[in-house]
C-alpha cells in the first residue's frame, strides 16, 4: 500500500511540477503528516525531491528527472486519453486503476507528448450514454466481470425478454457496454449468446475454470449478434413522410431508424418533406414511437398502422375537447 502511494506521489510531482503538501494530501486522500513521511522516504531512496519554503513553496523534483516512454507517437498518446471511458471503468470497479494508469503514462511521456495528451484530456470528454437515459447499474456486474477475468464458470438465474425466469451455466467470454446497458457474452451448453446483465437475478461464480476459444473475437461476435437481434426485432416496415422538423428530431428514434433515414430517404418535396421506409417492431410499438412526432410525421403504409395513428390523433383531440370534424373549434 505504501509503495503504491510513494509511486503516486512521485508521479504527481513529475506530471504537475511543484505541489504543496496540502495539495498532495488532498490528491491522495492522506494526512499532511503522511506526505511529509513519504517525501522523506523518496529522498532517502535517492529521488531528487526538494522543498521550497514560504507561502509560494512546495515540493518538486530536480528538472529533467523522469522516466521516458519511447516509441509512442503524439497521435498515439492523444488517442489513449481520448478513448477512455471512465464511467464504464467505475462500474467495473476499475476507476482508480484507470486514473493511476493515465497518471503513470503522463509521467512517462516526454514533455512535448505530455503537453499534447493533457490538452486532449482538457478539451475532449467522452459521455457515451444517450440523452434522457440513465446508465444501468446492474447488481451482479462486478461478479460477472470477475468471472470473465478469471475464466470461471458462473451459474446465473436470468429473466428472459418474456419475463420467464431461467437458469444458465455459462462460460463468460467478455463484457460489452451498449449505450447504457451492459451485456455479458458467454458460451452455454450449445452456443455463444449475449445476456443483459441487468436481467440477472443471481450469480454464483464456480471454482471450475474453462478454456477460452482461441479464435473467439468479442468485437466481431458482438457486431454479428447485434445485426441478428435487429433482424429479429424489426420484422416489418412502415413508409412515412417526415417534415423538416421531424428529420431534425429523428435521432430520438434510435440508430436503426437513423440508418433507414440515411439509406431510404427520398428527395425533399416542395415543402421539404421526405419519404422514408423505416423498420418497426410491431404496429403497437410503431404507434408509440412514431406518435411522438405529432403532425410532423405522416404514416403512409401499412394501412393498419395509418388507421391506428389516425385513431390515436382523434382520441387526443377528444381528450382536449376538440372535435375531429372541427379541428379549429
Amino acid at each position: 500500500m505504501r509503495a503504491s502511494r510513494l509511486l503516486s506521489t512521485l508521479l504527481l510531482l513529475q506530471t504537475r511540477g511543484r505541489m504543496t503538501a496540502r495539495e498532495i494530501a488532498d490528491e491522495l486522500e492522506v494526512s499532511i503528516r503522511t506526505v511529509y513521511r513519504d517525501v522523506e522516504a523518496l529522498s532517502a531512496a535517492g529521488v531528487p525531491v526538494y522543498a521550497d519554503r514560504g507561502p509560494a513553496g512546495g515540493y518538486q523534483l530536480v528538472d529533467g528527472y523522469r522516466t521516458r516512454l519511447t516509441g509512442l507517437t503524439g497521435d498515439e498518446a492523444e488517442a489513449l486519453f481520448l478513448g477512455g471511458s471512465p464511467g464504464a471503468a467505475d462500474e467495473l470497479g476499475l476507476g482508480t486503476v484507470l486514473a493511476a494508469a493515465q497518471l503513470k503514462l503522463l509521467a512517462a511521456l516526454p514533455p512535448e507528448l505530455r503537453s499534447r495528451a493533457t490538452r486532449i484530456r482538457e478539451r475532449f470528454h467522452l459521455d457515451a450514454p444517450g440523452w434522457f437515459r440513465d446508465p444501468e447499474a446492474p447488481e451482479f456486474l462486478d461478479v460477472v466481470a470477475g468471472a470473465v477475468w478469471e475464466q470461471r464458470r458462473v451459474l446465473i438465474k436470468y429473466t428472459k425478454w418474456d419475463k420467464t425466469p431461467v437458469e444458465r451455466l455459462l462460460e463468460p467470454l467478455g463484457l460489452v457496454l451498449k449505450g447504457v446497458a451492459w451485456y455479458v457474452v458467454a458460451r452455454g451448453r450449445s452456443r455463444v449468446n449475449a445476456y443483459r446483465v441487468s436481467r440477472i437475478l443471481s450469480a454464483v461464480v464456480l471454482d471450475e475454470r474453462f478454456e477460452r476459444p482461441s479464435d473467439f473475437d468479442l468485437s466481431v461476435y458482438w457486431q454479428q449478434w447485434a445485426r441478428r437481434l435487429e433482424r429479429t426485432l424489426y420484422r416489418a416496415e412502415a413508409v412515412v413522410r417526415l417534415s423538416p422538423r421531424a428529420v431534425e428530431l429523428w435521432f430520438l428514434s434510435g440508430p436503426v431508424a437513423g440508418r433507414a433515414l440515411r439509406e431510404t430517404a427520398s428527395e425533399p418535396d416542395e415543402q421539404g418533406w421526405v419519404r422514408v421506409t423505416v423498420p418497426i417492431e410491431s404496429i403497437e410499438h410503431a404507434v408509440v414511437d412514431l406518435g411522438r412526432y405529432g403532425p410532423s410525421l405522416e404514416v403512409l403504409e401499412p394501412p393498419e398502422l395509418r388507421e391506428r395513428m389516425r385513431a390515436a390523433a382523434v382520441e387526443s383531440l377528444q381528450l382536449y375537447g376538440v372535435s375531429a370534424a372541427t379541428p379549429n373549434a
Side-chain angles (χ1 to χ4, degrees), residues 195-256:
Y195 302 83
R196 190 160 180 165
V197 181
S198 62
R199 291 181 180 170
I200 295 178
L201 305 175
S202 67
V204 178
V205 179
L206 308 181
D207 291 334
E208 307 167 11
R209 292 184 177 273
F210 64 90
E211 288 296 323
R212 184 183 179 84
S214 59
D215 59 347
F216 179 76
D217 187 310
L218 180 61
S219 176
V220 171
Y221 173 83
W222 178 259
Q223 296 300 324
Q224 295 172 347
W225 183 85
R227 290 293 186 181
R228 290 198 304 269
L229 179 64
E230 287 181 5
R231 289 194 295 269
T232 300
L233 291 178
Y234 298 96
R235 298 183 177 182
E237 292 181 336
V239 180
V240 301
R241 289 177 67 238
L242 304 178
S243 72
R245 177 59 174 164
V247 172
E248 290 181 5
L249 297 176
W250 196 240
F251 71 92
L252 294 172
S253 293
V256 174

Side-chain angles (χ1 to χ4, degrees), residues 276-288:
V276 178
T277 300
V278 57
I280 61 173
E281 294 184 50
S282 66
I283 297 296
E284 288 73 20
H285 281 93
V287 170
V288 175

Side-chain angles (χ1 to χ4, degrees), residues 15-267:
T15 56
R16 302 187 187 179
R18 179 182 295 154
M19 295 182 69
T20 66
R22 167 54 62 190
E23 289 172 337
I24 298 173
D26 291 344
E27 187 71 29
L28 301 180
E29 298 182 352
V30 297
S31 67
I32 293 180
R33 186 181 298 274
T34 298
V35 173
Y36 293 153
R37 290 198 299 265
D38 288 349
V39 171
E40 289 179 2
L42 287 173
S43 181
V47 176
V49 56
Y50 66 94
D52 287 330
R53 305 297 178 183
Y59 294 109
Q60 67 182 89
L61 299 170
V62 172
D63 289 344
Y65 180 83
R66 59 176 51 87
T67 301
R68 292 178 178 268
L69 183 66
T70 60
L72 195 66
T73 68
D75 289 342
E76 290 169 341
E78 292 173 356
L80 286 173
F81 284 91
L82 181 60
S85 182
D90 286 340
E91 292 175 14
L92 290 172
L94 298 174
T96 56
V97 177
L98 175 62
Q102 289 185 337
L103 180 60
K104 291 176 183 178
L105 176 59
L106 273 178
L109 289 173
E112 64 276 9
L113 295 189
R114 187 184 317 122
S115 176
R116 292 177 64 179
T118 301
R119 287 200 302 270
I120 285 291
R121 187 167 62 177
E122 290 173 347
R123 290 163 172 78
F124 295 94
H125 173 69
L126 176 63
D127 186 9
W131 288 107
F132 317 119
R133 299 185 66 185
D134 292 329
E136 291 184 347
E139 180 179 357
F140 296 99
L141 178 61
D142 57 340
V143 176
V144 174
V148 171
W149 309 140
E150 299 174 10
Q151 293 185 210
R152 294 186 183 275
R153 292 186 174 90
V154 58
L155 182 65
I156 69 169
K157 291 183 179 179
Y158 184 79
T159 303
K160 296 173 62 176
W161 63 272
D162 60 358
K163 308 301 182 182
T164 303
V166 295
E167 189 172 85
R168 293 285 187 269
L169 178 62
L170 302 178
E171 296 177 349
L173 303 174
L175 286 164
V176 176
L177 178 60
K178 174 65 172 178
V180 299
W182 283 98
Y183 290 82
V184 56
V185 176
R187 183 170 57 188
R189 286 185 300 178
S190 59
R191 62 190 176 95
V192 176
N193 206 346
Y195 302 83
R196 190 160 180 165
V197 181
S198 62
R199 291 181 180 170
I200 295 178
L201 305 175
S202 67
V204 178
V205 179
L206 308 181
D207 291 334
E208 307 167 11
R209 292 184 177 273
F210 64 90
E211 288 296 323
R212 184 183 179 84
S214 59
D215 59 347
F216 179 76
D217 187 310
L218 180 61
S219 176
V220 171
Y221 173 83
W222 178 259
Q223 296 300 324
Q224 295 172 347
W225 183 85
R227 290 293 186 181
R228 290 198 304 269
L229 179 64
E230 287 181 5
R231 289 194 295 269
T232 300
L233 291 178
Y234 298 96
R235 298 183 177 182
E237 292 181 336
V239 180
V240 301
R241 289 177 67 238
L242 304 178
S243 72
R245 177 59 174 164
V247 172
E248 290 181 5
L249 297 176
W250 196 240
F251 71 92
L252 294 172
S253 293
V256 174
R259 188 162 58 245
L261 177 63
R262 293 190 299 271
E263 296 176 354
T264 70
S266 66
E267 291 295 324

